Amino acid sequence: MQSSSTPGGEHAGIGRLAATIERLRREVQEAQQAADGRALIELARGILIERLQCGPTQAAQQLATLAEEAGVSPLELAADLINQAARDRLAAVASEFLVEAPPAETRSSAVRLRAAETGIVHAPDTQAVAVSLLEHALGPLGATAVAVWAAGPDASLSLAGYAGFSSEEARRWHYVPPGVTTAARKALTERSTVWFDSLKHAGLPTIGHRQLSGGRVTVPAGTGGRLLGVLEIAWPHDLEPPSPQIRKQVEALAELVAHTLEVPAGELPVPAGDAYSELVDLADGLHDPALVLTPHLDGQGHLVDFHISHANGPFLDPAGRPRGEVVGTMLLETYPLLAGDGGIYEKVQHVYATGEPFRADRMALTTLVDQVPLSVVMRLSLSRQGGGVLVVWAILDETTRLARLLQHAQRLGRIGGFEEDAVLGEITWNEQLFELYGLERSAAPIPIDRLAEHAHPDDVPEVGRFLRALLHHRRPASLTFRLQRADGISRHIRVIAEPVFDDRATLLAIRGAFQDISAQHWTEVALAATQDQLVQTEQQAAEQNRLALQLQQAIMPPTRGPMDAFDLQIAVRYRPAEKEHLVGGDWYDAMVLPSKQILLSVGDVAGHGIEAATGMVILRNALRGLAVTGAGPAQLMSWLNLVTHQMIDNITATAVCALYNPETRVLRWARAGHLPPILIREDRAAELPMIGGILLGAVSEADFEEGRIELQREDTLLMYTDGLIERTDTTLEDTQRQLLVSASRRAPSLEERLDHLLANNRSDTDDDTCLIGVGLR
């Protein structure tokens, strides 16, 4: 007899243990299914007790007898009885499914939906709801993961429950801020079910998109016109267009989920309690006209209109009706012309459903006055507050519109106006001047004769001459100086002022304006404060362009001879932009590392000028230094992204880098938002696979995929920047196809192949072009 300590005995023991675990797992599943089935059967027995006026024992016998006569299981018959008695959304879905599907499949669908409903009702939290949904209803449809998102009052999304995703992925996606576009956000903003046949093609980030890139569906979950969240379902494979019955099953499940996300009774969207009182107090505290709207639901709980529950004191009806005739009416009854595609009523619905606020400085409102349409221009603000919608609208007359136009002009021009009354000693500033000085609105305005106290010490003499001309000689004057604010910020300011006299030449006031003329990039562009400095600024800009061009040519001369490295022949080409002011940040590099691997890279820094050129130098040299560590291309891209995001201000770039091992002939490569390399094998050119990789500098941390390919004799690899193919008269896909055709042309040598590509793939954007050719001998 073989001892259990022998290898064979150990395998037998492990096998028995695995079989025991599998048996126990099946028993647990069967127990759970039996519990779910018992809940449905008990509901069906209750229906029979009510209809037949019989006892529990008779109802159980009747159910068994009917199931036997119908040739179905008691569980399937129970689901049919519940559907007939309920006549709810789930019953309607099962009934419509019956038209197209075989009876057996229909009964299975009805059981799944009712079992899911039972699981949701008895689930202790939303996490258990998600697990029940996947197990009872979505797993049989082929789905492998589900997420339940709760919508916040600010249109954010929080992960309330999940199943099929890892806990690490759930932690990463526990919260999605407002404004971030995801698959679930698309359903929330569009307020409709969104099917993605393939998440990879959709290009939208979401929970588990790296592991499950197959089909997805996101379904808004809400009641009473208010979206409470989103149900997201994931499949491991691409989806075919779903049938209407499957769509309705999914939407019915989302409706069940909505009930688990409903807010407590004190926060329900009805005008009751402290929440409504606070909303009314908020409206009454506004200077602009405001309305408080609350939802009006029909018997099925569907939103059909909004009550005008309250109007504050400044409210003016466009049709001239008293407030008392407006309050208490329905919105569409009082203003029927608000309806229509893209109209104000649709905006109100969207704000109420999603929580996303809406603002418009100028919007047309049309109302009826004695059955005649009257259009007015208004400023509109919509926001959801608790269970209602706060509508702030102000009708703009001609004077108001001109005043707001002047305010916008002053804000855009960063102009602050002032007036000092020489008789009363009063000083008046507009809001923009307080902002220029960095002062609160409640602070006391600063007299013009104390201007020197807030100027840079080097500018005090010029300020003195300005004040003497204005206050002593009493003539208009202007000055450009540096304003030193109390918060430490220095701004370049141009001030213009003039004295105002009466008929007797008595000084009445000093009026003037301050304008902020600071440049956005203090280290690059000298400020042009007056017209006299314009020539100097142009000269400085021209010198910067020449510096950028010299820097670029020093790092990357337009031509460079071929380089041999082990069994590789490497040739490079660089074509600069024709116009000097369009000097860009394209780079290429090829070097042999201490590990005897060969580094190949090309990249493109966004923008032109000295900033792009210096950014190119930093990234090119940083990649060289990082490559010496022996890290792979994906890790190099991750480090280079960190350098771009944290060490270089306002720079983004694309890049592709590769490491070639001469011993194995394996080329490993990674890309960061860049076009993939082209492989030419046996006179056929094709792009390498489009592996994942976001552009450099977009986010602080990013993951990059790594590709591998084994090169063969006579293979040629091309790496290039978009200046080679970018055109304004055709799409990038078309120019890429043209490049592949041109690259497939047989060439006597690698050098001639690169020259042919430069000559026959000329872009029309006048951008820099970098091109690396690698041939394996």
Side-chain angles (χ1 to χ4, degrees):
M1 179 181 294
Q2 190 178 36
S3 172
S4 62
S5 62
T6 63
E10 291 181 2
H11 292 319
I14 293 174
R16 286 194 296 272
L17 179 60
T20 301
I21 293 174
E22 177 63 22
R23 177 177 57 79
L24 293 175
R25 186 185 65 81
R26 286 198 305 269
E27 290 178 357
V28 170
Q29 288 181 343
E30 290 172 359
Q32 290 176 342
Q33 293 172 357
D36 295 334
R38 282 196 299 271
L40 294 179
I41 289 174
E42 290 300 324
L43 285 174
R45 288 176 180 174
I47 294 172
L48 290 177
I49 290 172
E50 189 275 332
R51 288 186 176 180
L52 302 178
Q53 299 295 311
C54 63
T57 303
Q58 292 175 308
Q61 294 174 348
Q62 185 69 19
L63 182 65
T65 302
L66 291 174
E68 184 178 356
E69 292 177 354
V72 298
S73 68
L75 182 60
E76 292 170 333
L77 180 60
D80 289 340
L81 288 174
I82 294 171
N83 286 336
Q84 294 173 13
R87 299 193 181 277
D88 57 1
R89 179 71 181 274
L90 296 186
V93 169
S95 174
E96 293 179 7
F97 198 75
L98 177 64
V99 177
E100 299 291 337
E105 186 176 346
T106 305
R107 290 192 292 271
S108 176
S109 172
V111 171
R112 288 202 309 270
L113 291 175
R114 289 300 175 186
E117 180 185 31
T118 303
I120 289 175
V121 169
H122 294 90
D125 53 29
T126 310
Q127 174 62 30
V129 167
V131 174
S132 178
L133 276 176
L134 185 61
E135 177 183 352
H136 293 107
L138 298 175
L141 296 179
T144 55
V146 62
V148 178
W149 302 93
D154 58 349
S156 62
L157 290 172
S158 301
L159 187 61
Y162 67 94
F165 297 111
S166 66
S167 58
E168 178 183 358
E169 190 72 3
R171 284 194 298 270
R172 290 182 57 196
W173 285 91
H174 73 282
Y175 177 75
V176 179
V180 177
T181 302
T182 63
R185 169 83 58 201
K186 195 171 179 63
L188 187 66
T189 55
E190 294 183 4
R191 292 185 286 163
S192 62
T193 303
V194 182
W195 289 81
F196 303 96
D197 56 352
S198 172
L199 198 61
K200 184 184 301 182
H201 298 155
L204 287 177
T206 188
I207 181 171
H209 66 276
R210 291 186 177 91
Q211 294 79 21
L212 291 173
S213 59
R216 284 286 171 103
V217 59
T218 54
V219 193
T223 58
R226 184 177 181 184
L227 298 186
L228 304 175
V230 176
L231 173 63
E232 181 170 354
I233 310 166
W235 280 265
H237 51 76
D238 292 355
L239 288 179
E240 297 293 333
S243 66
Q245 291 75 24
I246 296 298
R247 285 179 177 269
K248 290 179 180 179
Q249 283 192 57
V250 170
E251 291 169 359
L253 292 173
E255 187 172 308
L256 290 176
V257 169
H259 293 291
T260 71
L261 297 174
E262 283 187 300
V263 295
E267 300 176 18
L268 288 175
V270 295
D274 295 337
Y276 178 69
S277 299
E278 291 176 0
L279 181 55
V280 170
D281 292 342
L282 175 60
D284 289 339
L286 298 174
H287 293 292
D288 285 335
L291 294 174
V292 174
L293 305 180
T294 52
H296 176 65
L297 311 180
D298 61 14
Q300 285 73 41
H302 300 144
L303 178 69
V304 294
D305 204 342
F306 288 88
H307 282 288
I308 302 178
S309 302
H310 179 74
N312 67 353
F315 174 76
L316 294 175
D317 177 56
R321 290 168 291 198
R323 281 195 303 157
E325 294 184 10
V326 175
V327 176
T329 63
M330 296 293 181
L331 183 63
L332 288 182
E333 291 178 3
T334 307
Y335 304 105
L337 298 182
L338 295 185
D341 294 339
I344 294 178
Y345 182 76
E346 184 175 309
K347 305 296 184 188
V348 173
Q349 280 185 310
H350 184 83
V351 170
Y352 176 71
T354 66
E356 290 182 319
F358 175 77
R359 303 285 186 275
D361 285 338
R362 290 178 60 84
M363 193 163 188
L365 180 147
T366 303
T367 186
L368 295 176
V369 179
D370 296 330
Q371 303 304 315
V372 177
L374 172 65
S375 294
V376 295
V377 178
M378 63 191 304
R379 184 174 68 254
L380 180 66
S381 170
L382 304 174
S383 61
R384 190 177 73 190
Q385 307 289 336
V389 176
L390 180 64
V391 180
V392 182
W393 68 26
I395 300 173
L396 303 178
D397 57 21
E398 190 64 26
T399 303
T400 305
R401 280 185 278 178
L402 291 176
R404 289 186 60 81
L405 180 61
L406 178 59
Q407 289 176 359
H408 285 308
Q410 291 175 341
R411 177 180 57 83
L412 294 173
R414 300 186 62 79
I415 298 173
F418 72 93
E419 179 179 277
E420 295 190 10
D421 192 316
V423 179
L424 301 177
E426 296 178 350
I427 303 176
T428 303
W429 280 11
N430 69 353
E431 292 186 4
Q432 190 64 35
L433 191 50
F434 281 100
E435 291 184 8
L436 292 181
Y437 267 85
L439 299 177
E440 298 291 336
R441 300 294 188 273
S442 58
I446 300 170
I448 192 68
D449 58 7
R450 292 176 52 190
L451 186 61
E453 300 175 14
H454 302 273
H456 190 280
D458 294 342
D459 296 336
V460 169
E462 291 293 331
V463 173
R465 284 190 284 271
F466 165 76
L467 293 176
R468 284 194 295 273
L470 179 65
L471 302 178
H472 296 288
H473 300 292
R474 296 188 175 183
R475 63 172 181 259
S478 64
L479 167 71
T480 300
F481 72 104
R482 283 165 289 180
L483 177 67
Q484 299 284 85
R485 296 181 4 173
D487 55 10
I489 296 176
S490 178
R491 309 299 298 175
H492 285 251
I493 299 295
R494 176 179 172 84
V495 56
I496 303 173
E498 65 178 2
V500 180
F501 304 96
D502 62 9
D503 296 339
R504 300 178 182 179
T506 301
L507 181 65
L508 297 178
I510 300 292
R511 294 174 182 164
F514 288 71
Q515 183 179 17
D516 187 347
I517 57 172
S518 303
Q520 295 299 317
H521 303 285
W522 301 97
T523 58
E524 292 185 7
V525 182
L527 293 174
T530 65
Q531 187 67 27
D532 295 337
Q533 293 175 306
L534 181 59
V535 175
Q536 179 183 355
T537 303
E538 292 175 346
Q539 292 174 346
Q540 289 177 346
E543 187 163 342
Q544 286 183 347
N545 289 332
R546 287 194 296 272
L547 176 62
L549 184 60
Q550 291 172 0
L551 177 63
Q552 191 182 57
Q553 291 176 345
I555 299 297
M556 293 181 302
T559 58
R560 179 179 290 181
M563 180 180 78
D564 291 331
F566 301 101
D567 54 355
L568 287 186
Q569 182 184 22
I570 304 172
V572 297
R573 292 291 186 272
Y574 173 68
R575 182 174 65 200
E578 295 181 359
K579 298 178 182 179
E580 290 188 359
H581 72 278
L582 291 179
V583 172
D586 290 26
W587 89 81
Y588 63 84
D589 200 6
M591 64 177 292
V592 179
L593 300 174
S595 63
K596 303 307 180 184
Q597 295 192 81
I598 301 170
L599 171 68
L600 304 167
S601 67
V602 295
D604 184 1
V605 175
H608 299 86
I610 187 68
E611 182 175 313
T614 54
M616 171 270 292
V617 174
I618 293 173
L619 294 183
R620 183 175 183 267
N621 291 338
L623 182 58
R624 279 192 162 202
L626 294 170
V628 176
T629 64
Q635 183 63 63
L636 292 178
M637 287 290 97
S638 180
W639 286 339
L640 196 63
N641 175 71
L642 195 62
V643 171
T644 309
H645 188 271
Q646 296 188 357
M647 300 182 63
I648 311 176
D649 293 334
N650 302 319
I651 283 293
T652 57
T654 64
V656 59
C657 81
L659 291 174
Y660 175 72
N661 189 332
E663 295 182 357
T664 62
R665 295 183 182 173
V666 171
L667 181 90
R668 300 156 55 204
W669 66 284
R671 56 178 288 274
H674 203 88
L675 298 171
I678 293 176
L679 178 66
I680 305 173
R681 178 172 289 173
E682 297 179 355
D683 295 330
R684 294 185 60 186
E687 286 186 340
L688 295 185
M690 184 72 76
I691 59 178
I694 193 173
L695 80 165
L696 301 174
V699 295
S700 59
E701 296 183 4
D703 297 329
F704 295 86
E705 296 182 12
E706 186 173 294
R708 298 170 63 92
I709 184 172
E710 183 176 348
L711 298 184
Q712 301 177 7
R713 297 291 184 186
E714 307 302 327
D715 279 356
T716 299
L717 189 75
L718 301 176
M719 301 166 65
Y720 61 97
T721 59
D722 57 8
L724 180 67
I725 60 173
E726 200 170 45
R727 295 190 62 85
T728 59
D729 58 352
T730 186
T731 64
L732 186 62
E733 290 77 9
D734 290 340
T735 56
Q736 283 178 294
R737 285 194 293 269
Q738 294 173 9
L739 176 62
L740 293 177
V741 172
S742 180
S744 301
R745 176 182 175 274
R746 183 181 296 273
S749 66
L750 180 61
E751 297 269 332
E752 293 182 65
R753 184 186 294 277
L754 298 190
D755 291 336
H756 172 75
L757 291 175
L758 281 179
N760 291 275
N761 291 276
R762 187 95 181 171
S763 70
D764 62 359
T765 58
D766 195 19
D767 197 5
D768 293 7
T769 300
C770 290
L771 178 62
I772 292 181
V774 178
L776 181 62
R777 295 190 295 267

